[in-house]
Amino acid sequence: MPVTTKPASSFINGSWVEGAGETTTRFNPAAPGEAVTTYHQAGSRELAEAVQAAVTAYPAWDRLGILARGRILALAASLIRDRREEIASVMTAEHGKTLAESRMEVDASADTFDYHAASARNPVGTEYPSSHPDERILTVRRPLGVVGVITPWNFPLQIPAWKIAPALLHGNAVVWKSASHTPGVSVLLMEILTAAGVPAGVANLLLGPGPLGSELVSHPSVAGVTFTGSVAVGHHIRGIVCGRGAKLQMELGGHNATLVLPDADIELAASSAVNAAMGSTGQKCTATRRIILAGDGHEAFLDAVKEKVSALILGPGNDPAVQVGPVVSASARDEINAAIEKALSEGGQIMAQAPAPAAEGYYVRPTVLTGPPSMTICHEEVFGPVVTVLRVDTLDQAIALANGTDFGLTAAVFTSDERAARRCVDSLDAGLVKVNAPSTGSELHVPFGGMKDSTFAGPREQNSTAAAAFFTHEKTAYLRLAPEKA
């Protein structure tokens, strides 16, 4: 059943504000003629208003205290769960992922708010000994002030939750520039935060074009920026933010390898690799892009991969039988198909493909390629359901090949040999290394981030300690007693 087309607006200083820019409509990628969300784009004027609202609001939000802020986040988590089906329905209509995937994202987002709410009771600060008998030396954490948040469309609720929940917990106000493809999900989250008790001006949403993000990160009142997106945009943002001395946190994508050794559990390795490559239509930064087979004897594994990929069902995400939905846009579909064609022209071959769907929409058939590692697709991130199988003789060669890109987000290895597993953990250039588990997925209380071009040399995401390190300034207080009066 189609989602009713809904008008959306930016949210500034506690009010819904219709942007002065052009009208934009988001269409369902599974049914390109079906309008889902319409809105007027925000521009420079709305951005200035949002930042000023945040500057004005954050001191009172800070004074409220971390326990009170934690209770508001806990209520937000509850409200997300109450509206689970509504949010999942809008997410599937705007993004294209299956309803099962959307529901999982809603659940994970609620858990993220709960986790940061609970961390409000974590110990704060450290006391150090002093050489003076009447002095105590303490560290305290203070909010940055205004945090600029820029999020992608592929996880339109979960990634904002990763960033907004800890920013609010630590007393900051937020100006959030959300993704243009998923405005409806962004609006639902702002409704929830407001209903949970986040005061006017503390959480602000801008629905606008990509260049608005450059204005946001350039604003002198924005003390910190947290961004997830492409390498090119991330490097642009890094130059702006670091150039003016603000704090920066970034996650920039990956070209993740799954290593399969001869002693791997075949069913576990095959199912994990296929799910990691094709889940969410391959539109994950942590998706497996390369499967590297080390040594001989992988025919049974390859047969299992072929069977699983060939059996995948493509179609609209609201069909319970569908396993893989459309990609997010016509341009994304065309880019992915062009990358496959280029790989074929560079010596690649198609090893397996899922059947084409009967439905209209922006579909890309999940595809497994083989070919030489020199193919462009083995080095450049293709954000879709495509994976390349590569073969080498030894574990050393597999690790070197896995490390042979500019990315370093995640990696996976399948083996029964603990020594080989430890070697991979130590030697793979990846911020997350999974042993006998898919390259996708992470626990929300564990630090998340990559290496090389997949990240920025700063605090990780998700983990409460990492969140405190990014969203606050640490200050040291020397508290010396005044001399006693005679």
Side-chain angles (χ1 to χ4, degrees), residues 408-411 428-433 447-452 454-455 460:
L409 185 55
T410 71
L428 287 168
D429 292 343
L432 283 77
V433 179
F448 178 88
M451 299 169 63
K452 301 193 291 191
S454 290
T455 192
R460 301 306 210 196

Side-chain angles (χ1 to χ4, degrees), residues 73 112-113 116 160-170:
L73 295 186
T112 298
F113 273 89
H116 288 290
W162 285 4
K163 300 174 184 294
I164 293 173
L168 295 180
L169 177 71
H170 290 289

Side-chain angles (χ1 to χ4, degrees), residues 158-407:
Q158 189 170 359
I159 292 179
W162 285 4
K163 300 174 184 294
I164 293 173
L168 295 180
L169 177 71
H170 290 289
N172 300 284
V174 166
V175 179
W176 173 27
K177 194 276 177 194
S178 67
S180 300
H181 287 318
T182 50
V185 176
S186 306
V187 166
L188 291 174
L189 179 56
M190 294 307 297
E191 290 178 356
I192 286 167
L193 292 176
T194 302
V198 175
V202 172
N204 304 275
L205 168 67
L206 296 172
L207 302 179
L212 195 64
S214 291
E215 290 189 47
L216 175 61
V217 304
S218 301
H219 200 291
S221 295
V222 176
V225 172
T226 175
F227 167 80
T228 297
S230 71
V231 172
V233 175
H235 287 180
H236 172 70
I237 288 174
R238 179 181 63 191
I240 295 171
V241 176
C242 294
R244 62 182 184 83
K247 293 187 78 173
L248 177 62
Q249 178 188 67
M250 296 197 301
E251 191 273 291
L252 302 179
H255 201 297
N256 314 295
T258 288
L259 281 61
V260 182
L261 277 57
D263 62 351
D265 181 291
I266 292 172
E267 175 58 28
L268 175 64
S271 60
S272 297
V274 170
N275 290 338
M278 309 307 178
S280 294
T281 321
Q283 297 173 127
K284 293 182 179 182
C285 296
T286 57
T288 290
R289 306 294 179 201
R290 293 167 294 154
I291 299 171
I292 301 175
L293 308 180
D296 299 322
H298 292 288
E299 286 69 23
F301 168 81
L302 293 173
D303 288 343
V305 168
K306 292 177 188 177
E307 180 181 352
K308 292 177 186 300
V309 171
S310 300
L312 289 173
I313 301 172
L314 277 70
N318 59 4
D319 182 341
V322 164
Q323 298 164 290
V324 179
V327 295
V328 74
S329 66
S331 61
R333 175 199 60 197
D334 295 344
E335 288 173 9
I336 298 163
N337 284 331
I340 294 172
E341 290 302 317
K342 185 173 185 180
L344 297 179
S345 73
E346 293 174 336
Q349 294 182 323
I350 292 175
M351 187 186 92
Q353 257 186 338
E360 63 173 335
Y362 304 138
Y363 293 103
V364 174
R365 296 171 65 185
T367 300
V368 182
L369 297 170
T370 60
S374 58
M375 293 186 299
T376 303
I377 203 168
C378 294
H379 303 277
E380 296 182 2
E381 185 177 27
V382 175
F383 216 58
V386 185
V387 66
T388 303
V389 175
L390 305 169
R391 304 195 72 149
V392 295
D393 294 328
T394 67
L395 178 58
D396 285 347
Q397 292 171 339
I399 292 172
L401 187 57
N403 291 343
T405 74
D406 293 331
F407 299 95

